[in-house]
C-alpha cells in the first residue's frame, strides 16, 4: 500500500499544477467579449447549416481499419522486449528466440491476410468524383486568354 501513496501524491501534484495554471490564467487574462469572439469558429469559415451533417460511412471503415493495424504495434512491443532478452534466449539454447521469431511472423502474416482481404473487397478504394465539363460559352475569345497567360507566365 505504501507504493500507492507515491502515485497518489504525484497525481494530486499534477492536478494541482493544472488547476494552478488555469486559475492563474483566469486572473491574469483580460475579459472583453464581443460578437466576433462569441461566434463559432470553423477553420476560418463562417459555419453554414446544421452541425449535424451526414458523414460518408467510408470514413468509419477507414478509421476502423487504421485502428486494427495500429493495435498491431501494441502487440509487437512486448514481443520485441521478450525477443531482445538475451538471458531468456540463452537459457533455452536459442529455442525461445526461434519460437518468438516464428510467432511474430505468424502474427504479421495474419495481419497481412486481413489487409489483403480488405484490399480485395475494395474497402480501401475511394471512388473518384466525376468531373462535369462546363457548357459555358464565353464571349471573350480564347486567343485573349492565351495572350494573358503568356504575358504573366514569364
Amino acid at each position: 500500500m505504501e507504493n500507492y501513496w507515491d502515485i497518489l501524491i504525484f497525481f494530486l501534484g499534477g492536478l494541482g499544477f493544472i488547476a494552478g495554471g488555469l486559475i492563474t490564467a483566469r486572473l491574469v487574462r483580460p475579459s472583453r467579449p464581443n460578437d466576433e469572439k462569441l461566434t463559432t469558429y470553423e477553420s476560418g469559415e463562417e459555419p453554414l447549416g446544421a452541425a449535424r451533417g451526414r458523414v460518408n460511412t467510408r470514413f468509419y471503415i477507414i478509421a476502423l481499419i487504421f485502428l486494427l493495424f495500429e493495435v498491431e504495434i501494441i502487440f509487437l512491443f512486448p514481443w520485441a522486449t521478450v525477443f531482445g532478452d538475451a538471458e531468456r534466449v540463452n537459457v533455452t539454447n536459442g529455442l525461445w528466440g526461434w519460437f518468438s521469431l516464428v510467432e511474430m511472423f505468424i502474427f504479421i502474416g495474419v495481419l497481412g491476410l486481413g489487409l489483403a482481404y480488405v484490399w480485395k473487397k475494395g474497402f480501401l478504394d475511394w471512388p473518384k468524383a466525376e468531373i462535369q465539363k462546363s457548357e459555358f460559352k464565353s464571349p471573350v475569345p480564347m486567343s485573349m486568354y492565351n495572350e494573358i497567360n503568356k504575358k504573366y507566365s514569364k
Side-chain angles (χ1 to χ4, degrees):
M1 191 66 181
E2 294 175 12
N3 294 337
Y4 290 111
W5 288 111
D6 294 338
I7 295 171
L8 180 64
I9 289 171
F10 277 108
F11 182 74
L12 292 176
L15 285 178
F17 185 73
I18 292 170
L22 290 173
I23 291 170
T24 303
R26 176 78 174 163
L27 295 174
V28 172
R29 72 173 178 245
S31 177
R32 295 185 216 118
N34 59 30
D35 290 338
E36 187 68 27
K37 288 183 182 178
L38 297 176
T39 60
T40 305
Y41 180 77
E42 195 171 294
S43 301
E45 300 289 329
E46 291 293 325
L48 301 173
R52 293 185 178 254
R54 289 187 174 199
V55 177
N56 193 339
T57 56
R58 290 180 184 265
F59 286 117
Y60 297 115
I61 293 171
I62 296 292
L64 288 174
I65 293 169
F66 171 76
L67 284 176
L68 173 71
F69 290 105
E70 192 65 26
V71 170
E72 168 189 353
I73 301 300
I74 296 171
F75 290 122
L76 284 179
F77 181 73
W79 168 85
T81 56
V82 169
F83 188 64
D85 187 5
E87 183 179 319
R88 183 173 288 163
V89 173
N90 289 337
V91 167
T92 59
N93 295 330
L95 196 61
W96 183 258
W98 283 107
F99 173 74
S100 60
L101 184 68
V102 169
E103 182 184 26
M104 185 267 312
F105 277 121
I106 290 171
F107 178 71
I108 293 196
V110 168
L111 286 173
L113 286 174
L115 179 62
Y117 174 78
V118 167
W119 201 335
K120 180 72 175 161
K121 283 290 195 178
F123 292 139
L124 299 178
D125 296 333
W126 200 271
K128 295 181 179 169
E130 295 180 19
I131 299 174
Q132 296 177 354
K133 194 171 184 179
S134 175
E135 300 296 326
F136 178 74
K137 300 292 183 191
S138 174
V140 179
M142 193 60 160
S143 60
M144 291 182 82
Y145 286 118
N146 291 336
E147 287 177 26
I148 292 172
N149 287 336
K150 285 180 187 176
K151 179 179 176 183
Y152 288 107
S153 66
K154 293 179 182 179

